[in-house]
C-alpha cells in the first residue's frame, strides 16, 4: 500500500481559549485602538509590549502592524533613507528586501552557505559597502553570531535582526534579536505566535525606541506606552519624526498575550516534530540534512534539506512525486517564484548581482513547514514519503547513468 499524507501544511492550531476570551472582552468594551483607554486601564497592547520586552530581556518594545513594518521602521529609526545601501541575505523571503525598498534604499545581497546561514566571508568582503545589515535568520538558521557581530562592529555596520523565524530561539543562550541594535519579529499566522498580522521591534537604545514609537503613529500619546523610554527621550524628537501609522490594536494584542506565555512550551513541541522528520530523513542517499550548531537554540517550525547538484529535472520530480502523496515541498531553486517562495534573483527591482555559490545551494534546497497540528506520527510518515520518493528518483538517475 502506498502511504499518503492528508494533513494541511498551512493549518495552524486554534487561538487558545484564554486568547478568545480576552478578544471577546475587547470586542465587548469596544476600545480596540491602543490609545483608547478607560481611566486607569493599561490596554492590551501596552501590556503585551511589556511582556515581550521581559521575554527577550530588551529594555524597550514596540508592537506594530506587521513584521515588514517593524523592519521598515527599524531602518527609518537608524536613519536609512532614499539611495542608501543596506546589506541583507540573498536567502530570505520577499518582505525583507521589500522593507529596504519601502524606505527607498537599495539591498546589497550577501550569499548563503550550505548551512543555510549568511556567508560571513562574503559579508566581511561587502561590509564596507553599507552602514546597516538587515540580517534575516531565514527559516530559523542562526549563523555564528559572535563572528557576525565582530565583523559588523569592526566595519561600523549597525545590525538589525529579522527574527520572523526565530522568536523563542537563541544563540549561546542570548535570545535571537538581542545581538544587534534592533530585533524585529512577526506575529503573522505562519510564525511562532498568531494574530493574523502583527509584529514587534525591540531595542535597548532609548533614542531608537523613541523614534520607532513616534514613527509608528503615537501622536503625542507616547506616555501611554509601558515599554518605551520616558517622555524626556521624546522631547527633542517629537516635532521632527514623521507619523507613519502602523500601530498594533488591542484585539490582536489580546489574542497574543496568552500565546506568548506558552511560547517556550510550543517551541519544544516544534522541535519534537523537527527531530522526528530529521531522524526519518537522515541517511537518505544523496540527501543532505542541515546540521544544527551546538550554540544554536533553534525553533523547528520548518525543516530544510538539500538535494545538492541533482539538477533541476530531478529536484522537480521529487517535488511532484511528494506532492502526489500529500507532502508539500517548497523549492528555492524553481525558475519562477511560487506562492510565498521566491529567491533573490526574482527581486528585479533590486537589480541583484549574481551569486553563483548561492545559486548552487538554492538549486537543491527544499523546505517544508511543520505546523503544530501535525502529530509526531504525521512527521514520521512525511519523512518516509520524502525518503521513498527521493530514493526512487536517486535510483532512477543512477540507473540512467
Ligand atoms: C514573514 C516574514 C517576515 C515578516 O512578515 P510580515 O508578513 O510582514 O509580518 C519577515 N521576514 C521573513 C523571512 C518572513 O518570513
Amino acid at each position: 500500500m502506498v502511504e499518503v499524507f492528508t494533513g494541511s501544511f498551512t493549518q495552524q492550531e486554534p487561538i487558545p481559549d484564554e486568547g478568545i476570551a480576552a478578544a471577546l472582552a475587547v470586542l465587548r468594551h469596544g476600545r480596540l485602538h491602543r490609545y483608547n483607554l478607560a481611566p486607569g486601564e493599561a490596554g492590551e497592547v501596552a501590556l503585551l509590549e511589556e511582556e515581550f520586552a521581559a521575554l527577550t530581556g530588551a529594555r524597550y518594545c514596540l508592537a506594530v502592524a506587521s513584521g515588514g513594518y517593524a523592519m521598515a521602521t527599524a531602518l527609518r529609526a537608524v536613519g536609512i533613507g532614499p539611495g542608501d545601501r543596506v546589506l541583507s541575505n540573498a536567502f530570505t523571503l520577499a518582505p525583507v528586501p521589500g522593507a529596504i525598498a519601502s524606505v527607498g534604499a537599495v539591498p546589497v545581497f550577501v550569499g548563503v552557505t550550505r548551512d543555510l546561514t549568511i556567508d560571513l566571508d562574503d559579508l566581511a568582503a561587502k561590509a564596507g559597502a553599507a552602514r546597516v545589515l538587515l540580517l534575516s535568520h531565514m527559516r530559523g538558521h542562526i549563523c555564528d553570531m559572535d563572528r557576525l557581530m565582530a565583523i559588523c562592529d569592526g566595519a561600523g555596520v549597525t545590525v538589525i535582526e529579522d527574527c520572523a523565524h526565530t522568536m523563542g530561539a537563541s544563540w549561546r543562550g542570548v535570545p535571537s534579536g538581542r545581538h544587534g541594535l534592533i530585533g524585529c519579529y512577526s506575529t503573522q499566522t505562519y510564525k511562532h505566535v498568531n494574530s493574523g498580522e502583527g509584529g514587534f521591534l525591540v531595542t535597548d537604545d532609548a533614542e531608537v525606541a523613541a523614534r520607532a514609537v513616534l514613527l509608528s503613529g503615537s501622536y503625542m500619546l507616547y506616555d501611554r506606552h509601558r515599554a518605551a523610554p520616558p517622555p524626556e527621550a521624546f522631547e527633542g524628537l517629537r516635532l521632527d519624526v514623521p507619523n507613519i501609522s502602523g500601530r498594533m490594536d488591542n484585539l490582536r494584542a489580546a489574542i497574543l498575550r496568552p500565546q506568548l506565555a506558552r511560547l517556550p512550551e510550543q517551541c519544544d513541541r516544534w522541535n519534537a516534530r523537527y527531530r522526528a522528520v530529521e531522524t526519518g530523513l537522515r541517511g537518505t542517499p544523496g540527501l543532505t540534512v542541515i546540521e544544527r550548531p551546538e550554540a544554536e537554540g533553534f525553533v523547528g517550525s520548518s525543516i530544510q534539506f538539500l538535494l545538492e547538484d541533482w539538477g533541476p529535472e530531478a529536484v522537480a520530480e521529487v517535488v511532484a512525486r511528494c506532492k502526489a502523496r500529500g507532502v508539500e515541498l517548497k523549492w528555492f531553486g524553481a525558475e519562477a517564484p511560487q506562492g510565498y517562495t521566491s529567491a533573490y534573483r526574482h527581486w528585479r527591482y533590486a537589480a541583484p548581482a549574481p551569486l553563483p555559490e548561492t545559486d548552487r545551494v538554492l538549486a537543491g534546497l527544499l523546505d517544508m513547514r511543520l505546523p503544530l497540528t501535525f502529530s509526531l506520527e504525521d512527521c514520521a510518515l512525511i519523512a518516509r514519503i520524502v525518503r521513498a520518493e527521493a530514493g526512487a528518483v536517486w535510483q532512477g538517475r543512477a540507473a540512467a547513468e
Side-chain angles (χ1 to χ4, degrees):
M1 195 196 75
V2 176
E3 293 181 300
V4 172
F5 179 64
T6 55
S8 166
F9 282 81
T10 53
Q11 183 60 56
Q12 304 288 38
E13 291 187 303
I15 301 302
D17 287 342
E18 276 172 280
I20 294 174
L24 284 175
V26 172
L27 291 173
R28 292 207 170 96
H29 67 53
R31 292 184 297 278
L32 274 73
H33 192 284
R34 69 168 296 163
Y35 301 125
N36 184 198
L37 301 170
E41 186 184 27
E44 294 284 345
V45 178
L47 292 170
L48 174 72
E49 289 168 340
E50 203 170 48
E51 289 160 5
F52 195 70
L55 184 80
T56 52
R59 199 168 293 166
Y60 309 115
C61 173
L62 173 69
V64 292
S66 74
Y69 183 88
M71 292 186 285
T73 302
L75 291 167
R76 284 196 177 96
V78 299
I80 291 296
D84 289 338
R85 287 149 64 90
V86 176
L87 295 158
S88 194
N89 305 60
F91 173 49
T92 185
L93 290 179
V96 180
I100 296 169
S102 79
V103 300
V106 182
V108 176
F109 294 110
V110 181
V112 69
T113 67
R114 54 197 291 281
D115 300 326
L116 305 189
T117 55
I118 193 165
D119 181 340
L120 294 175
D121 295 330
D122 195 27
L123 177 66
K126 290 172 177 164
R131 63 180 186 83
V132 171
L133 164 67
L134 179 53
L135 171 67
S136 184
H137 302 295
M138 176 63 172
R139 287 298 184 250
H141 296 273
I142 303 177
C143 73
D144 179 343
M145 288 303 295
D146 306 312
R147 188 172 163 217
L148 178 128
M149 291 309 300
I151 292 168
C152 290
D153 289 345
V157 171
T158 297
V159 178
I160 297 171
E161 296 180 69
D162 164 25
C163 305
H165 304 163
T166 54
M167 186 189 287
S170 59
W171 178 262
R172 279 190 217 293
V174 176
S176 184
R178 301 288 296 135
H179 291 85
L181 180 66
I182 308 174
C184 301
Y185 307 78
S186 171
T187 66
Q188 191 236 76
T189 294
Y190 300 112
K191 314 299 160 102
H192 297 173
V193 292
N194 173 13
S195 60
E197 303 286 357
F200 292 110
L201 177 160
V202 301
T203 184
D204 286 346
D205 186 297
E207 185 182 334
V208 165
R211 284 183 186 277
V213 168
L214 290 166
L215 284 163
S216 75
S218 62
Y219 302 89
M220 294 299 143
L221 301 169
Y222 40 78
D223 64 341
R224 297 192 186 175
H225 287 244
R226 296 167 72 98
E232 305 85 82
F234 293 83
E235 278 311 315
L237 299 171
R238 60 191 207 135
L239 305 181
D240 293 310
V241 177
N243 182 323
I244 305 175
S245 290
R247 295 171 300 272
M248 179 172 279
D249 58 86
N250 285 328
L251 182 57
R252 286 175 203 188
I255 293 171
L256 288 170
R257 291 180 59 211
Q259 294 183 58
L260 273 194
R262 51 179 219 172
L263 180 64
E265 176 196 327
Q266 298 292 81
C267 293
D268 290 345
R269 294 177 63 219
W270 261 305
N271 287 355
R273 282 154 183 77
Y274 182 97
R275 291 300 186 193
V277 176
E278 182 189 53
T279 302
L281 292 181
R282 233 177 238 293
T284 305
L287 183 151
T288 308
V289 165
I290 313 295
E291 301 301 342
R292 312 297 303 236
E294 182 81 32
E296 184 194 37
F298 68 97
V299 182
S301 54
S302 69
I303 189 165
Q304 295 70 41
F305 58 88
L306 294 172
L307 303 180
E308 278 178 289
D309 304 320
W310 281 39
E313 292 80 15
V315 178
E317 195 186 340
V318 172
V319 172
R321 293 175 70 127
C322 288
K323 184 157 190 234
R325 293 179 64 182
V327 174
E328 268 179 56
L329 297 171
K330 308 293 179 199
W331 181 27
F332 281 90
E335 192 63 33
Q338 220 176 40
Y340 293 104
T341 310
S342 59
Y344 79 97
R345 62 183 181 281
H346 299 132
W347 306 325
R348 196 159 67 190
Y349 60 85
L355 296 162
E357 175 56 17
T358 292
D359 290 338
R360 194 189 72 78
V361 171
L362 296 181
L365 177 58
L366 293 171
D367 170 42
M368 206 177 352
R369 281 203 183 104
L370 297 174
L372 290 175
T373 51
F374 289 3
S375 66
L376 295 179
E377 294 70 35
D378 290 338
C379 293
L381 169 60
I382 288 165
R384 281 199 300 279
I385 291 172
V386 173
R387 189 184 188 92
E389 298 305 330
V393 174
W394 178 261
Q395 283 189 348
R397 287 170 82 229
E401 268 168 19

